[in-house]
Amino acid sequence: SDNTTCYLYTSNLNINFFFLNTSTIWKGTLLEQFFKDGGLNGSIHNVEHTSDVVRLLLVHLYGGFYLDLDYVVINDLTQYTNMLVEVGAYPTYKEINTANNAFSFEKGHIFLSSALLDIATNYDPNCF
């Protein structure tokens, strides 16, 4: 299987890894009550859901750019701010589909605030 993260961690590249405590990162945020109430505990996709929520929360708290590791970046991406990638759009453009596999937002952006509030109020632990 692919072990890209391990390779990057042990390489001499200028990459920093940070560890975070997922049991406290939500304190003082829009998701505090959600996690106090058990949050993701009932999820049948706990790892995936935790990853989805944490990436949204971190970019909301600090701002930044998130890309899944399977993206290949060829050009400078610094001009992209406050954006997310559209996926699987229908040719009629009557419906826009998005995912959180690639996005960039300023700290506290209203879109991420809305997404976090939606998680806090409408989270479905059975949805993938």
Side-chain angles (χ1 to χ4, degrees):
S1 78
D2 183 15
N3 203 355
T4 304
T5 305
C6 184
Y7 166 76
L8 292 172
Y9 185 74
T10 59
S11 72
N12 290 325
L13 299 172
N14 187 19
I15 297 175
N16 295 308
F17 285 81
F18 299 92
F19 298 92
L20 68 112
N21 185 340
T22 55
S23 63
T24 59
I25 188 69
W26 46 262
K27 288 188 178 179
T29 72
L30 297 168
L31 294 178
E32 183 167 5
Q33 193 60 47
F34 172 75
F35 280 102
K36 281 183 178 179
D37 293 342
L40 302 171
N41 292 344
S43 175
I44 59 173
H45 307 287
N46 191 274
V47 172
E48 294 86 351
H49 287 178
T50 300
S51 177
D52 289 343
V53 171
V54 167
R55 76 180 66 149
L56 291 171
L57 184 58
L58 287 174
V59 174
H60 182 263
L61 290 172
Y62 303 105
F65 203 111
Y66 175 84
L67 286 176
D68 277 353
L69 282 176
D70 58 352
Y71 273 84
V72 176
V73 178
I74 298 172
N75 295 315
D76 179 9
L77 302 177
T78 56
Q79 74 271 17
Y80 296 107
T81 58
N82 300 326
M83 68 86 189
L84 56 95
V85 173
E86 180 181 3
V87 294
Y90 294 98
T92 60
Y93 295 102
K94 291 181 180 177
E95 183 175 327
I96 296 174
N97 295 297
T98 60
N100 70 350
N101 59 351
F103 59 91
S104 173
F105 288 101
E106 295 170 341
K107 176 181 177 178
H109 193 278
I110 189 69
F111 180 85
L112 293 178
S113 297
S114 297
L116 294 173
L117 286 172
D118 186 60
I119 290 167
T121 56
N122 300 310
Y123 174 69
D124 179 358
N126 299 308
C127 182
F128 187 75

